[in-house]
Amino acid sequence: MTYCLGLYLEEGLVFLSDTRTNAGVDNVSTYCKMHHFHEDQERLIVLLSSGNLAVTQAVLHRVTSSNLRLSEEVEKSPKNLREVADLYQAAELVGDAVREVYQHDGKALEAQGAGFQVSFLLGGQIRGEPMRLFQIYSAGNFIEATIDTPFLQIGEHKYGKPILDRVVKYQTSIQDGIKLSLISMDSTLRSNLSVGMPVDLLIYERDSFQSSMRRRIDETDPYFQNLRGYWSSALQHAYQQAPDPDWQE
C-alpha cells in the first residue's frame, strides 16, 4: 500500500508521497512514487501513484514513452505527457493508459487473485492554462480538486484525512500546507505499517512552471523529527486541557 496526497492551494500545489511497497511482510521495498515532468519552463506536471507496482509502472511507461500511442483510432491524440495541451488532456491520457493496461493485464491479475488496483494524483500547470489537480481511478475516470475541495488523497488515506478535513482551506499558505501534509503523513506512518519512510515532497508555486522545492525526507531529518515531537506533545496537551465529562446519573 502507499499514501500520497496533493494540496490545491491559492499559492500553489503541495505533493507528498511515501516510498514503501510490499508483497507480504517479508518482501518490503522502497520505490519512488513521485514523478515530475518539466519542459523549458513551459510546463510542470507531477504524477503520484498508488496500487500494484507492476501496473503503475506500466501506466507510467505508456504516458512517458514517445514510441507508444494509446489510441490507434485518434491520429492526432498526444502520445505522452510532454505533448498534452492542458492538464485535463493529461488526466485523460493517464486514464486511457490505465484502461489499456487493464485490457492487457487485468484478466491475468484477477485470475491470480491479485485484482487490478491503481490510482494516481496528477497536477501542475502548462503555460497559458490554469493550475489544476486531478485524482484518477482504476477505471480510468477522474475527478478534479476545487476551491471547495482543496486536497486529494490516494492509497492508505484514512489516518491522515482528519487533520486535512479540519484545517486545510484553499487560502492555506504553502508553508502551512507543508506542515499539515507532513502531520497527515506522520499520522499514517504511526497507524499503518504498509506506509513507510522516506517520503518525497514537491512544492509548485502558481505560474512558476518549475518546482520551488523537491526534497526526500527520512527518519533523521531534523525538521520532521521536531514537527513529529511537537505534534505529539500538542495532542497530549490538548486532550489534557479538554473539559471532563459532567454527566449526571
Side-chain angles (χ1 to χ4, degrees), residues 1-7 14-20 31-35 46-51 56 119-122 133-135 151-158 160-161 164 181 184-185 188 194-196 199-200:
M1 203 56 174
T2 190
Y3 178 43
C4 304
L5 71 152
L7 306 187
V14 178
F15 298 96
L16 188 66
S17 61
D18 86 314
T19 56
R20 177 166 293 176
Y31 281 90
C32 180
K33 301 163 189 175
M34 178 183 293
H35 310 276
V46 180
L47 188 65
L48 309 183
S49 60
S50 172
T56 61
S119 55
F120 294 91
L121 294 181
L122 180 143
L133 175 65
F134 295 90
Q135 179 174 343
F151 70 88
L152 296 172
Q153 304 166 282
I154 55 175
E156 193 59 70
H157 65 272
K158 57 182 176 291
K161 191 171 186 292
L164 303 180
S181 296
S184 175
M185 179 64 74
T188 307
S194 69
V195 178
V199 299
D200 290 316

Side-chain angles (χ1 to χ4, degrees), residues 36-226:
H36 80 293
F37 311 91
H38 179 218
E39 295 288 330
D40 300 326
Q41 294 192 347
E42 291 296 318
R43 68 182 60 205
L44 183 126
I45 300 176
V46 180
L47 188 65
L48 309 183
S49 60
S50 172
N52 183 294
L53 182 61
V55 173
T56 61
Q57 289 184 340
V59 172
L60 183 66
H61 178 62
R62 280 164 170 77
V63 300
T64 58
S65 174
S66 61
N67 298 319
L68 291 175
R69 184 177 297 279
L70 295 175
S71 175
E72 295 291 344
E73 300 175 358
V74 184
E75 290 297 325
K76 295 183 180 180
S77 63
K79 295 180 181 179
N80 56 59
L81 289 175
R82 294 178 174 87
E83 296 183 2
V84 294
D86 55 50
L87 265 293
Y88 190 90
Q89 194 174 66
E92 287 186 319
L93 185 73
V94 175
D96 288 344
V98 170
R99 285 187 283 266
E100 185 177 88
V101 173
Y102 177 78
Q103 289 297 320
H104 188 269
D105 297 330
K107 291 183 179 179
L109 285 168
E110 291 166 359
Q112 296 296 319
F116 188 84
Q117 300 176 356
V118 65
S119 55
F120 294 91
L121 294 181
L122 180 143
Q125 189 174 13
I126 296 173
R127 190 172 295 279
E129 298 292 330
M131 182 184 75
R132 304 177 81 171
L133 175 65
F134 295 90
Q135 179 174 343
I136 303 159
Y137 299 100
S138 293
N141 57 331
F142 51 86
I143 61 171
E144 183 173 5
T146 67
I147 291 175
D148 296 321
T149 308
F151 70 88
L152 296 172
Q153 304 166 282
I154 55 175
E156 193 59 70
H157 65 272
K158 57 182 176 291
Y159 302 105
K161 191 171 186 292
I163 181 64
L164 303 180
D165 281 335
R166 288 178 179 272
V167 182
V168 173
K169 308 294 182 186
Y170 178 67
Q171 295 78 17
T172 298
S173 71
I174 283 182
Q175 289 300 312
D176 285 344
I178 293 172
K179 289 188 288 186
L180 292 166
S181 296
L182 289 172
I183 290 170
S184 175
M185 179 64 74
D186 182 53
S187 299
T188 307
L189 291 167
R190 286 178 175 271
S191 299
N192 193 297
L193 293 176
S194 69
V195 178
M197 300 286 279
V199 299
D200 290 316
L201 173 71
L202 188 146
I203 306 302
Y204 173 75
E205 296 180 8
R206 185 186 295 272
D207 298 329
S208 67
F209 305 101
Q210 59 184 342
S211 60
S212 59
M213 178 191 298
R214 188 174 186 189
R215 184 179 184 88
R216 173 156 285 193
I217 301 167
D218 61 22
E219 293 280 4
T220 66
D221 186 89
Y223 175 74
F224 183 75
Q225 288 297 323
N226 184 50

